[in-house]
Amino acid sequence: TLSSGMAAAGSESQQTRIKALVLDFDSTLSTPTWLSRAQQWAVADNLPLFESMDEAEIIANLGGAARLATLHTLLGALEASGVVLHIVSIGRKAAIVPHLRAARLLPYFGERVWGQDCEELRSLGFVKGRLIKRIMHARGWAHAEVLFVDDSQEHLDAAAEVCRTMMVTSKAVVGGMGDAEFSALRAAAGLPPATAAGGALATAAARGGKSPRR
């Protein structure tokens, strides 16, 4: 069963297809893993740790090869349909961008990545909803035309009056967005269901352990 947030996003999409998608990074786009060699969770506010991670660790932190392939399919379909993709995170842009580049996800977002080390977010008190509002104003997007996805109720609540929102309920299973969110995003963009089941949920058993409290 989809969460109430997903249901709301889905029902609203029947009236208006989204023109923009704003994703959080940690525990939304990524599925933070525990790096035993460092005895730390791999989250994007830890720049030294992110800089030390090799390609295999980066792919694992994005949920593994199967989930990464699903992300490529989804983001490519959204981009092709005209949806403009963004990342707004409390992690560091300097940590996020190299990981996106290593996973070949960066082209979907281009320069539309913001983190705590960006003046635009810092000047707005690190309130994601305020930055999203500014982005929307510059593009002339209405509330129903933008969807913000995050695993933090606090950030979602702060953006609820600005745009549509969706909670990452699959975090409890896979550590970030899973098949439920992927399906809801396709619906919000007016896209047909994926032709093949994504591999997101199948990675849960391989990951094991608990997600960090973020």
Side-chain angles (χ1 to χ4, degrees):
T1 303
L2 295 182
S3 71
S4 58
M6 288 187 201
S11 61
E12 194 168 5
S13 72
Q14 295 175 6
Q15 302 174 5
T16 305
R17 294 182 180 183
I18 60 170
K19 294 183 178 179
L21 174 65
V22 182
L23 297 173
D24 176 38
F25 185 77
D26 290 322
S27 299
T28 298
L29 191 62
S30 80
T31 60
T33 51
W34 175 257
L35 290 184
S36 57
R37 64 172 176 81
Q39 291 296 293
Q40 297 180 80
W41 287 102
V43 290
D45 56 1
N46 190 336
L47 180 58
L49 183 61
F50 260 47
E51 289 179 334
S52 76
M53 292 169 66
D54 60 25
E55 184 173 334
E57 290 172 331
I58 291 171
I59 291 173
N61 208 50
L62 288 165
R67 183 176 183 273
L68 181 56
T70 299
L71 286 173
H72 274 286
T73 300
L74 173 66
L75 297 176
L78 291 170
E79 182 181 57
S81 73
V83 176
V84 184
L85 304 171
H86 310 70
I87 291 174
V88 176
S89 171
I90 300 301
R92 294 182 178 275
K93 179 177 181 177
I96 294 168
V97 168
H99 278 219
L100 294 176
R101 183 179 294 114
R104 297 174 179 81
L105 294 175
L106 186 58
Y108 299 116
F109 301 98
E111 295 297 318
R112 298 179 302 276
V113 180
W114 290 270
Q116 64 172 265
D117 48 348
C118 295
E119 177 57 30
E120 297 95 328
L121 188 56
R122 207 163 36 227
S123 68
L124 296 171
F126 304 104
V127 178
K128 296 181 182 182
R130 293 178 183 172
L131 178 56
I132 294 169
K133 183 177 182 179
R134 179 176 291 181
I135 294 168
M136 291 172 60
H137 179 74
R139 295 295 299 264
W141 289 324
H143 181 285
E145 296 174 328
V146 178
L147 176 59
F148 170 43
V149 184
D150 204 301
D151 67 304
S152 163
Q153 192 63 54
E154 179 182 357
H155 287 304
L156 294 174
D157 288 346
E161 294 185 1
V162 175
C163 63
R164 295 156 63 175
T165 62
M166 184 192 300
M167 169 62 75
V168 182
T169 59
S170 295
K171 175 182 176 180
V173 181
V174 297
M177 290 191 299
D179 291 342
E181 288 81 12
F182 298 153
S183 295
L185 292 181
R186 294 185 70 92
L191 295 171
T195 55
L201 299 184
T203 63
R207 286 185 70 255
K210 297 180 179 179
S211 297
R213 294 180 179 178
R214 299 290 294 157

